[in-house]
């Protein structure tokens, strides 16, 4: 059974600072997704990473994938309050139909 | 022009009751999912249908029964509701079985 661990689980940071969220997974996966969830809201897709070494960037967020290490990162640059949300990674294990969601990282950006 | 919609948005009911949640997508997707999100925000897949065929059937109580009348609709029926069923249930859809999922707004179920 695929296990997905994110760390940290909770992150409180000052505006303007940089930080990285880590997503470790235990089984070979052919792609990995990052989603954002605002409090009381639904999930919104941020990135899909399709191959080893893939890097995607959107605004202050940049995601990368290392399939050999089974690790994905979500890097936040110069955080702003609007980035406060819960971020989930979701690997898609090879040969299955499933998406396995990580534990989530609750990010709070303080003004 | 909501992409993935769910009804109802809120559901408060007594233990032992039977309830249904409905999901519809207008994205032309062929795959739909039900997820359960608990109070700690853990998101767990329950069921998935691809072209009306059940492809994921996780270990959930058999009180939960999905039904997909067509590719655009996926319903979830829950019998004999228990306190532990209280959660947010999300429907999602995708084009294909490994593509980006689009989530509905969620149904907040509270069992008293």
């Amino acid at each position: 059974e695929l296990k997905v661990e994110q760390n940290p689980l909770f992150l409180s940071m000052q505006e303007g600072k940089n930080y990285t969220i880590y997503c470790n997974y235990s089984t070979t996966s052919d792609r990995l997704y990052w989603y954002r969830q605002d409090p009381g809201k639904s999930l919104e897709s941020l990135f899909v990473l399709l191959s080893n070494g893939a890097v995607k960037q959107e605004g202050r967020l940049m995601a990368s994938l290392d399939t050999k290490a089974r690790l994905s990162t979500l890097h936040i640059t110069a955080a702003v309050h609007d980035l406060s949300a819960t971020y989930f990674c979701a690997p898609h294990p090879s040969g299955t139909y499933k998406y396995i969601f990580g534990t989530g990282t609750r990010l709070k950006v303080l003004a | 022009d909501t992409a993935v919609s769910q009804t109802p948005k809120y559901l408060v009911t007594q233990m032992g009751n039977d309830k249904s949640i409905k999901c519809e997508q207008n994205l032309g997707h062929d795959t739909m999912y039900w997820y359960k999100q608990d109070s700690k925000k853990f998101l767990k897949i329950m069921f998935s249908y691809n072209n009306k065929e059940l492809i994921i059937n996780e270990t959930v109580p058999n009180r939960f029964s999905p039904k997909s009348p067509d590719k655009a609709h996926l319903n979830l029926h829950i019998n004999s509701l228990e306190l532990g069923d209280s959660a947010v249930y999300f429907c999602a859809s995708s084009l294909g079985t490994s593509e980006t999922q689009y989530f509905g707004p969620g149904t907040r179920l509270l069992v008293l």
Side-chain angles (χ1 to χ4, degrees), chain A residues 37 40-42, chain B residues 4-13 19-24 34-38 46 74 76 78 85-92 103-110:
Chain A
Q37 185 179 31
K41 302 291 186 181
S42 185
Chain B
V4 182
S5 60
Q6 293 179 228
T7 54
K9 288 189 177 179
Y10 300 95
L11 193 49
V12 181
T13 188
K19 291 293 179 186
S20 292
I21 307 171
K22 295 186 176 182
C23 178
E24 177 181 0
W34 279 115
Y35 285 88
K36 179 180 180 180
Q37 186 173 46
D38 64 21
M46 301 172 69
L74 179 62
L76 182 66
I78 316 170
D85 297 333
S86 295
V88 181
Y89 293 84
F90 285 102
C91 175
F103 283 79
T107 295
R108 284 149 185 81
L109 172 64
L110 178 61

Side-chain angles (χ1 to χ4, degrees), chain A residues 1 30-31 33 35 37 40-43 45 48 86 88 92 96-103 106, chain B residues 33 35 37 39-43 45 55-56 58 90 94 96-101 103-105 108:
Chain A
E1 176 75 10
D30 51 22
R31 57 188 60 195
Y33 294 86
Y35 287 87
Q37 185 179 31
K41 302 291 186 181
S42 185
L43 284 86
S45 172
V48 54
T86 298
F88 292 94
H92 189 277
T96 77
Y97 295 122
K98 295 182 187 179
Y99 304 73
I100 309 296
F101 279 76
T103 48
R106 296 191 197 183
Chain B
Y33 311 81
Y35 285 88
Q37 186 173 46
S39 58
K40 295 184 178 179
K41 302 295 185 186
F42 293 133
L43 202 63
I45 193 163
I55 59 171
I56 297 175
E58 287 295 276
F90 285 102
S94 63
T97 56
S98 60
E99 302 301 321
T100 299
Q101 295 176 95
F103 283 79
R108 284 149 185 81

Side-chain angles (χ1 to χ4, degrees), chain A residues 33-77:
Chain A
Y33 294 86
W34 282 95
Y35 287 87
R36 168 182 171 145
Q37 185 179 31
D38 291 321
K41 302 291 186 181
S42 185
L43 284 86
E44 174 189 358
S45 172
L46 294 174
F47 302 109
V48 54
L49 302 166
L50 299 175
S51 60
N52 187 43
V55 177
K56 292 274 185 78
Q57 182 161 6
E58 178 75 31
R60 300 174 188 273
L61 300 177
M62 183 173 70
S64 66
L65 180 63
D66 181 342
T67 57
K68 293 180 181 177
R70 295 178 183 167
L71 171 69
S72 181
T73 61
L74 181 65
H75 186 74
I76 304 155
T77 302

Side-chain angles (χ1 to χ4, degrees), chain B residues 31-66:
Chain B
T31 309
M32 298 185 73
Y33 311 81
W34 279 115
Y35 285 88
K36 179 180 180 180
Q37 186 173 46
D38 64 21
S39 58
K40 295 184 178 179
K41 302 295 185 186
F42 293 133
L43 202 63
K44 189 171 189 302
I45 193 163
M46 301 172 69
F47 304 104
S48 178
Y49 276 78
N50 173 253
N51 287 315
K52 296 169 52 182
E53 179 186 350
L54 184 65
I55 59 171
I56 297 175
N57 186 3
E58 287 295 276
T59 307
V60 298
N62 56 16
R63 299 181 293 103
F64 290 79
S65 54

